Amino acid sequence: MNASLQARSDFTVIARWIPQRARVLDLGCGDGSLLQFLAHTRAVQGYGVEISPENIVACVRNGVNVIQNDLETGLAEIETDSFDFVILSQTLQAMRHTEAIVDEMLRVGRQAIVTFPNFGYWRNRLAVACGHMPVSDNLPYEWYDTPNVHLCTIDDFERFCARRKIRICERVVLNDGAEVAVAPNLFGQLAVYRFERLSV
Amino acid sequence: MNVELALPENGVGLVAPKVAHFAEPLKLRSGAVLSDYRLMYETYGELNAERSNAVLVCHALNASHHVAGWYADDPKNVGWWDNMVGPGKPLDTDRFFVLGVNNIGGCHGSTGPASNDTATGKPYGASFPVITVEDWVAAQARFADRLGIDRFCAVMGGSLGAMQALQWTIDQPQRVAHAIVIAAAPKLSTQNIAFNEVARQAIISDPDFHGGDYYAFATVPRRGLRIARMIGHITYLSDDAMMERFGRVLRADDFRFHFDVDFEVESYLRYQGEKFAEVFDANTYLRITRALDYFDPAKQHGGSLTRALASTQASFLVISFTSDWRFAPARSREIVKALLDNKRNVSYAEIDAPHGHDAFLLDNAHYHEVVREYFNRLARELAARAEP
């Protein structure tokens, strides 16, 4: 249990944003460790969405509600505005239909939270400048076996939000678990955003 | 006994069915009343001191109270869910007290159309009322009262059994902690009802049916029942599974230009029909297919399944199988959606299995792991509650 509660650095940032007993949907929830963490620290009522059979078993083992579903096909089972928060933790970059999933998140949730590896991090830029795709703790794949099809930088994501009438409520950029204040698009490894629809 | 050596050693082993008599009349949804009745049942494992570890396993169309184990006088008659229920199995009888009950209207020992009506001393036959899933749940709940079980740790079933589990959460919300709903649908589709109607017509149009009172003629509508079973069986298997298993394989080297068995699949269906007609009662088949047709908890709520499930309190595990076209995954997702709408705890697994509807009875590692982990969690909850 302690091992699974060993929070990833973005977990603590996310937990900070979520009030007690909120209703939370975690897309691509893996083994359910974020929801387990939020259940312990924030008493949330949480549901995960996962596609992998192994992760479904792991979520059931961890006592986390999980719905087996392919995120790429949308969230048809979930009513509009039925969650306080919809989280997509380190999965955005692996989604094929990036725009569609962000729309779905903002349909079913009041606010959305995404975390993704910042491709603008200086080490990533350096790797590309030296002629190679970066491989690191946050980007642990080789170019030929990576599930990441839509990598982006912090600046890219913010431009995406501006174009899609999305209001960014809060942003935290992390480097080895510590918050980055200066030149985040250069020094940040991991970006964590909370955002909502711009009211029309 | 040599025969014992051939039997699986990891099961619940030798079991014996028991009978419970009920003298208190049971009013059915149709308005009819069963003045007295009996239920055939089996139990596995031990009920704990708190009576909190009971799991009710509800059976589907052609199964019974004989969920697991085997009989001394019929060792080949292994329980229908023996791969699921037993020591160390996904539903572990070392930790849970498991109850299997043959439903009223059945033909495995509980009061049904072939039973003698105490008022007349003759078999009920055609006069046996039409029964519903709600009636079964009411009878099961009354039986739980007698066993001193206030609340089931879980009510579980596949197919029609899953519909009973769902009905339990609606009719007896305080008495079900968890519902495990496998290969279910919230109501039959038009096509499902159509298949049932063809099966019923096969039985009713058999000259040996005698309007349902064939017992008096010392005969059974065997031909009709055989055809009904053959039709049903086709809907339990996927197209791929049938192709894989039988293909277009012929029994002889070439076509024989006749209407007897040419293809292997014909032989298989005839065998299944034959076997079924030997043991199953045609009147029971009519009533159980009708119970399926009538199952529709949303009907009393303006067609809203969400409202139908609003009274539930249980946590749910819903499981479907990708190749099941009888009750396809989309049907299970309707249930999941209604539960999500009601903010119920629910997990949903869509098992990648090629076998069609029958997959819920078969071994499948992912499927059994999900159920095992779910019950592991329930066992941990029970243990935590038992600690002072």
Side-chain angles (χ1 to χ4, degrees):
Chain A
M1 184 118 115
N2 284 335
S4 62
L5 285 181
Q6 192 74 259
R8 271 180 0 207
S9 57
D10 53 339
F11 286 12
T12 42
V13 174
I14 293 170
R16 216 162 67 196
W17 289 341
I18 292 188
Q20 289 286 327
R21 285 178 294 283
R23 270 174 63 77
V24 175
L25 182 67
D26 183 9
L27 305 179
C29 66
D31 65 2
S33 42
L34 173 58
L35 284 170
Q36 222 184 359
F37 180 71
L38 293 175
H40 279 258
T41 56
R42 288 289 181 268
V44 300
Q45 195 198 14
Y47 298 85
V49 178
E50 248 300 326
I51 191 167
S52 115
E54 294 74 25
N55 280 333
I56 298 293
V57 172
C59 286
V60 172
R61 181 184 304 129
N62 290 330
V64 167
N65 290 323
V66 64
I67 310 296
Q68 188 163 11
N69 194 12
D70 182 358
L71 291 180
E72 302 283 8
T73 63
L75 305 169
E77 277 82 45
I78 300 167
E79 277 297 318
T80 299
D81 283 329
S82 58
F83 283 91
D84 298 318
F85 294 93
V86 182
I87 301 171
L88 189 65
S89 172
Q90 307 214 26
T91 305
L92 184 72
Q93 75 280 0
M95 293 293 303
R96 239 159 240 292
H97 304 101
T98 316
E99 293 168 295
I101 195 66
V102 171
D103 287 348
E104 276 290 79
M105 290 174 79
L106 290 173
R107 177 183 68 82
V108 304
R110 212 166 40 79
Q111 290 196 338
I113 294 171
V114 300
T115 76
F116 59 87
N118 172 30
F119 203 75
Y121 179 53
W122 69 270
R123 280 185 191 277
N124 297 338
R125 299 190 196 197
L126 186 63
V128 174
C130 294
H132 295 285
M133 287 300 283
V135 178
S136 66
D137 285 351
N138 279 317
L139 294 169
Y141 303 98
E142 294 287 351
W143 65 271
Y144 49 82
D145 64 3
T146 181
N148 298 331
V149 291
H150 283 137
L151 288 162
C152 71
T153 69
I154 284 173
D155 288 356
D156 290 335
F157 183 74
E158 293 186 4
R159 199 183 294 176
F160 169 86
C161 290
R163 269 200 216 127
R164 299 191 67 79
K165 300 200 175 5
I166 290 169
R167 190 179 83 85
I168 293 169
C169 311
E170 222 168 331
R171 176 189 79 185
V172 170
V173 178
L174 299 168
N175 189 336
D176 283 335
E179 289 187 29
V180 178
V182 181
N185 198 32
L186 194 59
F187 296 117
Q189 292 173 315
L190 190 68
V192 191
Y193 281 92
R194 182 161 61 85
F195 55 95
E196 62 189 15
R197 276 161 296 200
L198 261 183
S199 33
V200 201
Chain B
M1 286 203 355
N2 284 337
V3 71
E4 278 187 33
L5 297 172
L7 288 159
E9 286 175 16
N10 61 345
V12 296
L14 187 64
V15 296
K18 286 170 261 186
V19 187
H21 291 271
F22 294 82
E24 194 190 338
L26 184 71
K27 185 153 193 266
L28 304 175
R29 190 177 152 201
S30 66
V33 175
L34 272 184
S35 55
D36 64 290
Y37 59 97
R38 63 176 188 276
L39 293 177
M40 205 75 165
Y41 70 100
E42 286 177 18
T43 67
Y44 324 97
E46 300 290 330
L47 188 60
N48 64 14
E50 300 82 29
R51 295 173 182 268
S52 60
N53 68 334
V55 176
L56 174 65
V57 174
C58 304
H59 70 78
L61 206 162
N62 57 329
S64 70
H65 53 283
H66 185 35
V67 178
W70 46 275
Y71 297 141
D73 61 350
D74 187 7
K76 280 189 181 152
N77 186 357
V78 177
W80 59 272
W81 225 353
D82 196 74
N83 61 4
M84 181 66 84
V85 178
K89 295 191 181 178
L91 174 45
D92 188 346
T93 51
D94 287 338
R95 296 188 290 185
F96 294 96
F97 174 71
V98 179
L99 175 63
V101 186
N102 185 212
N103 286 322
I104 49 172
C107 55
H108 292 95
S110 293
T111 299
S115 311
N116 276 340
D117 182 350
T118 43
T120 64
K122 288 182 187 156
Y124 281 100
S127 71
F128 195 88
V130 170
I131 33 162
T132 64
V133 170
E134 289 93 325
D135 299 331
W136 288 335
V137 168
Q140 290 159 359
R142 199 183 271 183
F143 185 38
D145 293 341
R146 182 171 296 183
L147 295 175
I149 298 165
D150 290 338
R151 190 169 188 245
F152 280 105
C153 177
V155 179
M156 174 184 190
S159 189
L160 178 56
M163 292 168 168
Q164 292 160 60
L166 201 57
Q167 193 68 48
W168 259 93
T169 68
I170 297 168
D171 292 350
Q172 308 280 345
Q174 279 121 27
R175 301 188 72 177
V176 193
H178 295 268
I180 301 177
V181 175
I182 303 171
K187 61 175 181 240
L188 293 204
S189 69
T190 316
Q191 189 192 48
N192 292 148
I193 295 170
F195 275 115
N196 281 348
E197 171 58 5
V198 176
R200 280 191 296 267
Q201 282 304 318
I203 291 168
I204 291 168
S205 62
D206 185 324
D208 287 331
F209 182 63
H210 296 289
D213 290 318
Y214 45 86
Y215 313 104
F217 296 84
T219 184
V220 292
R222 191 168 279 117
R223 280 163 293 182
L225 198 49
R226 272 201 303 249
I227 295 168
R229 176 60 172 173
M230 288 164 81
I231 295 160
H233 214 88
I234 296 167
T235 70
Y236 305 149
L237 302 176
S238 68
D239 190 13
D240 287 347
M242 278 183 124
M243 195 64 184
E244 169 93 1
R245 188 150 164 201
F246 308 108
R248 292 179 52 90
V249 175
L250 299 169
R251 306 221 76 191
D253 291 338
D254 203 350
F255 298 146
R256 288 186 288 176
F257 301 95
H258 63 174
F259 298 105
D260 205 344
V261 169
D262 256 355
F263 294 93
E264 278 293 351
V265 68
E266 295 174 303
S267 162
Y268 172 77
L269 286 177
R270 286 186 190 204
Y271 171 74
Q272 290 296 332
E274 204 68 54
K275 203 173 66 168
F276 188 70
E278 291 300 318
V279 297
F280 211 82
D281 182 62
N283 276 319
T284 290
Y285 202 88
L286 297 182
R287 280 156 185 79
I288 296 187
T289 54
R290 222 14 159 192
L292 275 160
D293 294 352
Y294 286 173
F295 178 74
D296 182 6
K299 187 167 181 285
Q300 291 148 39
H301 299 270
S304 164
L305 188 62
T306 297
R307 270 189 278 147
L309 295 179
S311 62
T312 63
Q313 296 176 15
S315 294
F316 291 80
L317 174 63
V318 179
I319 298 176
S320 72
F321 300 91
T322 49
S323 58
D324 184 352
W325 60 277
R326 184 183 168 90
F327 296 156
R331 311 308 312 282
S332 284
R333 278 192 239 115
E334 291 172 37
I335 298 170
V336 171
K337 182 187 183 313
L339 292 169
L340 283 170
D341 288 348
N342 282 300
K343 304 180 170 38
R344 294 292 166 271
N345 284 316
V346 52
S347 283
Y348 170 61
E350 198 167 295
I351 309 293
D352 189 8
H355 308 99
H357 189 59
D358 260 358
F360 87 88
L361 294 167
L362 304 174
D363 281 318
N364 175 297
H366 178 213
Y367 167 39
H368 279 189
E369 270 313 290
V370 170
V371 176
R372 180 186 298 279
E373 289 299 349
Y374 199 82
F375 276 111
N376 280 344
R377 193 187 121 201
L378 302 200
R380 284 199 301 272
E381 284 176 13
L382 286 177
R385 235 183 302 149
E387 275 169 24

